[in-house]
Amino acid sequence: MFHLVARRVTCMGLGIRPVPAVQKLAARGLSTAAQPEKHEDSDGDVQVHDERKPKTGIMMMNLGGPETLEDVQSFLLRLFSDKDLIPLPAQSFLAPRIAKRRTPKIQEQYSRIGGGSPIKMWTTKQGEGMIKILDEISPQTAPHKFYIGFRYADPLTEDTIEQMEKDGIEHAVAFTQYPQYSCSTTGSSLNAVYRYYNKRIRDRGEEGRSQMKWTVIDRWPTHPMLVECFAKNIEKELTKFPADVRDDVVILFSAHSLPMSVVNRGDPYPQEVGATVQRVMERLGMSHPYRLVWQSKVGPLPWLGPQTDEVIQGLAANGKKNLLLVPIAFTSDHIETLHELDIEYAATLAAECGVENVRRAESLNDNPLFIEGLADLVKTHLDKGVTCTRQLMLRCPMCVNPACGPAKQFFHDQGQ
């Protein structure tokens, strides 16, 4: 049970302004509610809901994941059809064939983690906690409503935009749930928003223009609460190692890799992931040796390395038998944490290599400090009154995506 308190977050000593913690109780409603109505949140806790028309809509953008085994093939088809994420020759021809071929293997993986991805469930919990805090700390932009906009699973980004328009949202915030920006992830989601409106204008003329003002939270790799959450989860997991080896643990920060063709175009993702790692290790006082490693390579072409599995093998061969895996670019559990890190690497590969102790730090999921951080990011963004960061407007030096420039301009022009 988390209690709503007005307090200054001092756990980092970094001077973050007061943000209330997430509250889970029925006795108190939102201070901004005109006609309160009781409802149950995703945890089954009764809360009071503000029935006024939402003013500010926050679309929480992410890749998504199949909720059931039957959803896997359609998820893979959308994923392999996205040129922003995986550029393929003859994409419309190859994508359906690759998706069909990979479906049985991926279904088997999802069956081992409960039969589907939990990412929608975690995003819902995060969104509920975030808007409850926002309605308290930012009454001038309330009522707030969160939306989920996935690229490859329901609810799809395009369907979410339609719903936001129908709800009469005045200010739409495209809030990436990837802390570190990549053209393949956040960029793809923003391109989807641009393409949606571009098509609507072609079909309807001026009537197709957005009825909402759009702004973007496009990256947050060094946000103090994000750093603190990672650091606390690492500290918690380190205590679970045997005392006599605890100081010898090697911390492996694992992030989703990128094709080198994307990296060499100037994608900022590797640098921003590195910035997160640096801040976390500074917060930990550089207490342990560490490496930044990369996972989830697909296909034969060169990808950013070193690969997580190869590093585990190499460290074990060098006598480093105590490892802590930290998913540093993922904020919610999904297949890359629950299957790839937990099952493929920690449970299987590490044992084969002779690793004696291997653990994985918890994902952020519904961590109350993390949810405070999400609210703080949105509140700060709304207070600044800017459409996006200046960094968003800088295209990769060797950009080859024809949608990238117009998409960035679309969001930039929202502030005109």
Side-chain angles (χ1 to χ4, degrees), residues 46-294:
V46 179
Q47 296 191 355
V48 179
H49 183 60
D50 191 338
E51 282 299 304
R52 292 181 299 161
K53 182 177 73 110
K55 180 178 181 180
T56 305
I58 300 104
M59 181 167 69
M60 302 173 76
M61 304 185 303
N62 212 325
L63 180 147
E67 289 192 86
T68 69
L69 298 182
E70 290 72 28
D71 297 332
V72 169
Q73 186 165 343
S74 61
F75 170 79
L76 292 176
L77 176 59
R78 293 187 185 111
L79 187 147
F80 285 106
S81 297
D82 184 4
K83 294 182 179 180
D84 296 337
L85 180 70
I86 305 174
L88 297 170
Q91 192 130 13
S92 60
F93 174 80
L94 288 176
R97 287 157 177 79
I98 296 172
K100 184 176 181 180
R101 187 181 75 244
R102 290 181 61 86
T103 292
K105 177 182 177 182
I106 303 303
Q107 284 178 325
E108 191 277 331
Q109 292 178 355
Y110 275 107
S111 70
R112 297 187 67 185
I113 63 169
S117 172
I119 193 168
K120 182 179 176 182
M121 180 264 291
W122 288 125
T123 307
T124 299
K125 290 178 181 290
Q126 292 160 358
E128 288 173 347
M130 175 186 70
I131 61 167
K132 181 161 181 60
I133 295 172
L134 281 170
D135 282 348
E136 292 284 354
I137 65 175
S138 186
Q140 68 275 18
T141 57
H144 305 85
K145 183 175 180 179
F146 82 93
Y147 299 81
I148 298 174
F150 287 152
R151 284 295 286 123
Y152 314 119
D154 292 327
L156 294 170
T157 303
E158 296 81 1
D159 296 335
T160 297
I161 296 171
E162 288 187 13
Q163 187 60 54
M164 294 173 76
E165 295 268 12
K166 289 177 183 176
D167 288 348
I169 294 295
E170 299 173 21
H171 182 177
V173 180
F175 184 9
T176 181
Q177 298 305 291
Y178 311 100
Q180 305 93 359
Y181 182 94
S182 173
C183 301
S184 301
T185 53
T186 301
S188 177
S189 290
L190 296 179
N191 289 348
V193 176
Y194 159 72
R195 290 186 180 112
Y196 171 85
Y197 282 112
N198 195 41
K199 181 180 185 303
R200 210 169 73 163
I201 291 171
R202 288 201 310 268
D203 294 343
R204 303 189 214 169
E206 288 300 307
E207 291 183 0
R209 294 192 180 278
S210 175
Q211 301 303 304
M212 306 179 288
K213 175 188 176 182
W214 280 91
T215 61
V216 187
I217 302 174
D218 50 81
R219 69 199 74 210
W220 37 287
T222 59
H223 188 273
M225 291 185 188
L226 177 72
V227 171
E228 183 66 12
C229 286
F230 280 132
K232 282 187 173 296
N233 283 357
I234 291 169
E235 289 173 332
K236 177 182 176 181
E237 211 62 34
L238 284 169
T239 64
K240 299 176 183 179
F241 283 84
D244 59 331
V245 301
R246 196 171 296 151
D247 289 342
D248 297 326
V249 171
V250 177
I251 302 174
L252 296 181
F253 294 95
S254 190
H256 201 295
S257 187
L258 282 180
M260 286 306 298
S261 59
V262 175
V263 175
N264 290 335
R265 286 200 294 266
D267 194 291
Y269 174 72
Q271 169 215 336
E272 295 193 8
V273 176
T276 307
V277 171
Q278 182 69 19
R279 291 290 179 87
V280 172
M281 288 309 302
E282 288 173 353
R283 158 62 179 78
L284 293 172
M286 298 294 175
S287 62
H288 290 74
Y290 67 97
R291 285 292 185 274
L292 171 55
V293 295
W294 308 89

